[in-house]
Structure formats: C-alpha cells, structure tokens
Amino acid sequence: MEEQGTRDIVIVGAGISGLSTAVGLHRLGIRSMVLESSDKLRATGFAFTTWFNAWKAMEALGVSQHVRDLHDLLQGWVVGHISPGNPSKEMLFPESEEYESRCVQRKVLLETLADELPQGTIRFSSKVVHIELSGYYKMVHLSDGTILKTKVLVGCDGVKSVVGKWLGFKNPVKTARLAIRGLTHYPQGHGFGKKFFQFYGNGVRSGFIPCDHNTVYWFLTHTSTELDEETSPENLKEFVLNKLKDLPENIKSVVETTDLDSMVMSRLKYRPPWELLWANIAKDNVCVAGDALHPMTPDIGQGGCSAMEDGVILARCLGEAINMKGETEDEYKRIEQGLKKYAGERKWRSIDLITTAYTVGFIQQSTGKWMNLLRDKFLSSFLSRLLLKKSHFDCGSLVP
C-alpha cells in the first residue's frame, strides 16, 4: 500500500544521529519523517560521555542548555590500575569550554531531541525491509506493507543498517571484546563528586562516571571467554565484581547496587577504516550517518558525540540543497552534490576516530609485562591527551 504524497526526506532510525538530523532540518524549516522500528524511543547503552564536539553540535541544534541543566559538569578524571599497589593519577580539567565534559543519559538526550520535533515526525513500529529506486525517488517498503516515496533517504539505523546494506556496506567486524554497562541510582546521592574514574589492566578496562547527583554510569570491557551475550544479569554482576575485587569499596558498591534490569552486555564492533576509503557513503540521494556509517569501539568516547556531528553537518548540506527552489531534475542534482559534500566531510573524520578508538582500546587492554610498563609509565597521559584532542572538533552551525 503506497502512502499518498512524496516526502522530501525519510530518516531511518530514531537514535542520536537520526534525531539530530531531523532537529537540524526542522531548524532550517525542512520537514522530515523518522522511521523507528521499535514502538518507543530506545536508549541502548544507558549513557555516554560528551566532550567539546558534542556540545558544539548540541548548541547548533538548540538543545545544549536543557541537557546541561540535567547533567553535572565533570571536573577531571582519575586513572588507575585495576590491580592493587599501583597509585592512581588525577587530572583536573581546565575551566574552559574546550574541556567541557558531562556524562549524558541517552534517554534524556533522545527525549530532548524528540520534543523539538513537530508532532507526528517520528513514526514508531516502522521497520524498513526493502528499498528500491523509482526515477528520482526512493520507494521505502515497511514490514506492514506500507510503501513511502521520498526524495532523500538517510540511514541512521545502527550497526545492522538496512540502508547501509543497500549502499553496499558490509556488516561491522566483531572484536574479541565484550562490554558490560550499567546505570546505578542513588535516591540520597552517590557522594562520588564530579570526576570520571577509570581503571585498566589484566585485559580489562572499566569506568565509573556520575551523570548527576543521583546517578552513576559504569562500564567494563573485557576479552573473557567465560561469558557470552546470553549470560544472565546475575552472572554478569558476579563476573564484574570479581574483576574489580581489588578496587576501593565505594567503587565496587556501584556495581553491587545496580538493579539487574539496569545492566546489559554486548560485543564491541567496528567498521574497518579502509572500507570507508572506497565505500558509497552517499549514492542516488541515499546516505548513512551515525553507527550505520562509523561504528567504533567506545575507547575514546566518540560514538554518540560524532553521531551528533553527523546530524548537524548532514542537515546543513541538505538544507543548502533543498531550500533552493527549482525543477525536479535540478533539485535532484543539488541534493546529490549536497550529500557528496557531506560524505567528503565525514569520511576522513570517521576514519580517524575509528582508527584511534581501536588503537587506544588495544593499548589499554593489552597484557604482558612490557606492554604494562610502557602503558603505565609513558602512555597513560598521552592517551588522555589524545582523547581530548580528538574531541576538539567544531561541526559549525546549521547555516553556513
């Protein structure tokens, strides 16, 4: 059943990149439709650390102040070894916007972005099963039999992207690492202050980050073969506590206090950076963004941040093309050039972030006497500076 009318832009996926793109377009006066396969907004992963580049993107989208009001400004981080007998190192962030960092709850961010959109923009329970070309248009087939006709199709549908597959992307590569994530609530306050605590060693990397006065997000990545993605939450908690057994009691208590339904484990995946050298990021006025474009390991905290960069830059490039009126053929070519510009801007940034994240993760979780010595004595401060360097990116405003 084909729905009446032609849409300018259909976005597949109501995640960070999809909603950021939709809000950016809305700010430019361009209506889009967002298709979400779930029956509600999904916030897989609970929270993520936002850096300078994420705040620049949120400022461009007009949601930064609301998100800031709901999350604490981090003052610095404490980095230490997971084994006893190794002193931790502390680094305070300078009081500058270039070092602004907060741990933002995904649910809060998604709801904030969704609230900026006109009623009916997001269509839930809408799973894309097939895409076909029809002249200048794309025919998007949904699982319920509906067919949508659109000028532009944007895939923000994650690591298993249907749109990405149509463009010729391969499935992301699975690593040997698994990530366990959790969110812990303290009705009376957690007492952690406003610092990012990170511990590594023995093939493990873990972190504990306050989101606000009452909420702490934590994670642990590992290469153990004891667990798989079907492991029960009870066994996950036991495994994490065993890995953290030598850490201070207040750190371990975060995991002990976590509700079982507030924990999740998933295998880490990434797109080989060389695939982006020849990939079709945009073709036939179809493109991808977010995890559909650049899935990466979480080691430099740039997955969600770069997804917002994508949204602002993509909205700007599409806005320049669509807001210039003209014949259908002329508009098609303008959009084609706009998406080509977007792809050019995002290709090398994506390659850089994927490569850096994988390298940092490899160094932080490697084992062995010499690697431990090199990392602990010489590389820990370098890796911290590298993380901040990669976040110093300004996506610009929506209007060039």
Side-chain angles (χ1 to χ4, degrees):
M1 177 182 67
E2 183 176 337
E3 286 201 354
Q4 296 298 311
T6 300
R7 287 164 179 78
D8 284 336
I9 301 171
V10 168
I11 299 168
V12 185
I16 294 174
S17 60
L19 293 182
S20 295
T21 303
V23 171
L25 291 167
H26 174 59
R27 297 285 189 242
L28 295 171
I30 301 170
R31 184 78 182 261
S32 64
M33 171 179 278
V34 181
L35 304 178
E36 171 55 47
S37 60
S38 180
D39 60 357
K40 60 182 179 181
L41 293 175
R42 293 184 292 179
T44 304
F46 301 119
F48 67 103
T49 311
T50 53
W51 304 95
F52 172 80
N53 56 325
W55 292 106
K56 283 298 181 183
M58 282 188 270
E59 287 169 5
L61 297 172
V63 299
S64 59
Q65 194 54 54
H66 179 71
V67 178
R68 281 186 177 108
D69 290 343
L70 298 174
H71 299 89
D72 286 342
L73 176 66
L74 297 177
Q75 298 171 342
W77 60 42
V78 178
V79 181
H81 201 279
I82 207 162
S83 299
N86 295 283
S88 298
K89 297 179 181 179
E90 183 171 347
M91 185 180 97
L92 297 178
F93 297 144
E95 293 184 8
S96 165
E97 69 167 5
E98 292 187 7
Y99 295 90
E100 180 177 4
S101 178
R102 302 170 197 262
C103 187
V104 170
Q105 295 187 59
R106 288 178 182 266
K107 183 173 184 290
V108 172
L109 177 61
L110 293 180
E111 289 175 349
T112 300
L113 291 169
D115 287 345
E116 296 296 316
L117 295 171
Q119 190 73 25
T121 298
I122 305 174
R123 175 174 171 157
F124 293 103
S125 301
S126 298
K127 183 179 181 180
V128 176
V129 294
H130 181 61
I131 303 162
E132 62 178 331
L133 293 179
S134 177
Y136 293 122
Y137 303 100
K138 271 58 63 180
M139 309 303 289
V140 183
H141 297 248
L142 306 185
S143 59
D144 64 1
T146 301
I147 303 174
L148 303 172
K149 185 178 182 181
T150 183
K151 298 175 184 177
V152 182
L153 180 62
V154 180
C156 299
D157 44 341
V159 295
K160 298 180 180 179
S161 173
V162 175
V163 181
K165 186 176 181 180
W166 186 88
L167 285 169
F169 279 99
K170 299 176 182 178
N171 289 329
V173 174
K174 294 181 179 180
T175 72
R177 300 164 62 201
L178 290 159
I180 304 172
R181 300 176 173 95
L183 199 66
T184 309
H185 300 282
Y186 293 85
Q188 305 304 317
H190 50 68
F192 264 85
K194 300 177 182 179
K195 294 178 182 177
F196 180 160
F197 293 83
Q198 181 170 270
F199 305 93
Y200 57 85
N202 303 329
V204 168
R205 174 176 172 262
S206 66
F208 300 81
I209 321 168
C211 297
D212 53 40
H213 181 66
N214 302 103
T215 312
V216 175
Y217 166 67
W218 62 267
F219 65 85
L220 182 140
T221 60
H222 63 93
T223 55
S224 174
T225 57
E226 301 172 35
L227 307 177
D228 59 39
E229 292 171 85
E230 303 301 320
T231 302
S232 69
E234 292 88 351
N235 289 339
L236 287 182
K237 180 179 280 193
E238 182 181 352
F239 175 85
V240 174
L241 289 172
N242 181 58
K243 293 295 182 182
L244 304 180
K245 63 182 183 296
D246 295 319
L247 294 183
E249 290 299 323
N250 67 325
I251 295 292
K252 291 187 291 185
S253 70
V254 176
V255 179
E256 292 170 344
T257 309
T258 306
D259 293 335
L260 294 179
D261 60 359
S262 294
M263 295 174 56
V264 66
M265 183 172 73
S266 58
R267 185 165 297 281
L268 299 183
K269 303 174 183 178
Y270 72 102
R271 188 173 305 290
W274 53 85
E275 185 180 341
L276 291 177
L277 289 174
W278 57 76
N280 287 314
I281 296 174
K283 181 182 72 171
D284 297 321
N285 289 355
V286 178
C287 72
V288 284
D291 280 346
L293 170 60
H294 47 61
M296 65 187 77
T297 58
D299 303 287
I300 58 172
Q302 280 298 323
C305 299
S306 59
M308 283 187 276
E309 291 178 17
D310 291 344
V312 173
I313 294 171
L314 179 53
R316 181 170 64 235
C317 291
L318 284 173
E320 290 175 0
I322 291 177
N323 281 333
M324 290 177 61
K325 302 301 180 183
E327 298 297 324
T328 299
E329 184 177 355
D330 293 336
E331 183 182 52
Y332 181 92
K333 291 179 179 178
R334 288 199 308 272
I335 293 172
E336 187 175 47
Q337 288 302 309
L339 292 181
K340 184 178 180 180
K341 180 180 179 181
Y342 160 75
E345 288 193 39
R346 299 313 291 162
K347 174 185 286 188
W348 294 107
R349 172 71 170 160
S350 298
I351 289 172
D352 184 21
L353 293 178
I354 293 171
T355 304
T356 304
Y358 185 89
T359 304
V360 170
F362 175 79
I363 293 172
Q364 288 188 328
Q365 290 200 231
S366 293
T367 57
K369 179 180 178 181
W370 294 110
M371 177 57 78
N372 288 342
L373 177 66
L374 180 66
R375 179 185 59 227
D376 299 348
K377 297 296 184 183
F378 304 106
L379 290 179
S380 59
S381 59
F382 168 76
L383 294 176
S384 298
R385 291 195 300 271
L386 183 63
L387 185 155
L388 292 173
K389 180 180 178 181
K390 296 304 176 185
S391 73
H392 288 174
F393 178 92
D394 187 349
C395 60
S397 63
L398 288 169
V399 180

